[in-house]
Amino acid sequence: MMSKFNYTTLAIAVASIGAIGSAHAAGLDRSGQDVTAFLQDGTYGEVVYTYIDADISGKDTSGNSISDIAEAYDFARFGVKADINDTFSVGVLYDEPWGAAVQYGGSNNFVSQGADTTVNALTGGLAPNVATAQAGLSQAQAGIAQLQAAIAQTAAAGGDITALQAQLASTVTTARSLGSALNVASTAEAQQGEGTNVEIRTQNATLLLGAKLGEKKNFQIYGGPQMQRLTGEVHLRGTAYGPMTGYDANIGADMGYGWVAGVAYHKPEIALKAALTYRSEIDHERSIAEVVPATTYAGSQNFKVTLPESWNLDFQTGINPTTLLTAKVRYVPWSDFDIRPPQYGNVTALGNNNVPLPIVGYDKDQWSAEVGLGKKVSDKLAVSGSVGYDSGAGNPVSTLGPIKGYYSLGLGAKYNVTPEWSVSVGGKYLKFGDATAQLPNGVKVGEFDDNDGFIAGVKLAYQQK
């Protein structure tokens, strides 16, 4: 006869894993959008704090060292859930699902090095400094005036102006290139020593209503609305970005809305619980302020970005009366996602057959998985361990997050202070995959190898059956 598992006490063994997030996953994934707080029995509440510190270093294509670009990052999440009766439940969840925090420093192609270095790089060495570029621009402008006059005279005399027109077009292109380089160089001089920086934050609130079905209430369906706040800013510095060096963008705070739906199955006799949750994509539409030194543009335009949908599968089952097996699988279609500031697209289109480029985009979708074991040590103490994998979202990758997935190892513990109150702590080590950084036009600009990081988390939880 099958032994009866004590679901309430056995579940303690897995709760500590929930104190750890999934920061620096593929794309902009941060929290993993956990909904397990809503699936707990009885009245339940939790507050979780997560801290991340990663070391992402490498070299640019000139061989210059790039020191750790990943800024320390922290976020909080909380969830509360209550049963209305033995059928219906209601809950509220808060997390910070998407984000980025990158800061380049040192002396490399992602840090502004001043006017002369910038002009030299943007002209391919044809103008090694600002003075040479200014002289070349003056000569090109004079040449344009002379060619225009020659074309007018030749045309009036009935002559062939084809060769003169070709020469004029070439001279105009040279003048525009030098003018753009000088505009960028002027800004680079003022920004000397500044490194590329990106900061993206989201806050997400979800309202869920669940209904248990079946004779034993083993099945549950749940769903509800979610709202999301987005802010962000991007600052591109250094010669790696070519004519977009010195570019700035600031996304005004915007609120977007979506929905969540899921289905779960419970079998408390063996501590079995499985849940599949879907979150819809969320559209954000807001003004974005952009500064493009190459064209001297500085203004605001309407901007739209769609943050992706996701699927989460959560599973647990008892192996014996004191040990719980857990598994998580997550899918996010990052290949459908990009960020396209309008003026950035207009300028990059000039060198891309009039096709606007995104500032961030990904080639592949994200698959991540984690398997863990929880062990009940005593009525008050439980410990857990986990191993995980994240596929990343393709390689080469954006300079604003140059990693290719990771492997992880996590440990955690939970202590019951009282029958209702508990404290969990957890840590996770991440070994990142080596990545090649490239610009949206496909130009390789850096290599990031042998990087890692860690996550630490603490959770305070209350549960009353």
Side-chain angles (χ1 to χ4, degrees), residues 247-303:
Y247 172 84
D248 292 321
N250 191 300
I251 304 172
D254 179 68
M255 193 72 73
Y257 303 89
W259 54 276
V260 182
V263 58
Y265 174 76
H266 308 255
K267 190 173 183 179
E269 296 86 356
I270 57 171
L272 173 66
K273 183 183 294 186
L276 179 63
T277 306
Y278 171 80
R279 286 181 179 268
S280 72
E281 61 185 23
I282 295 181
D283 293 330
H284 291 275
E285 190 164 357
R286 185 71 173 179
S287 65
I288 183 172
E290 294 179 270
V291 176
V292 187
T295 61
T296 69
Y297 174 89
S300 297
Q301 293 179 262
N302 192 53
F303 167 72

Side-chain angles (χ1 to χ4, degrees), residues 85 119 134 308 374 416 438:
N85 51 42
V119 162
Q134 289 173 332
N416 284 338
Q438 71 173 15

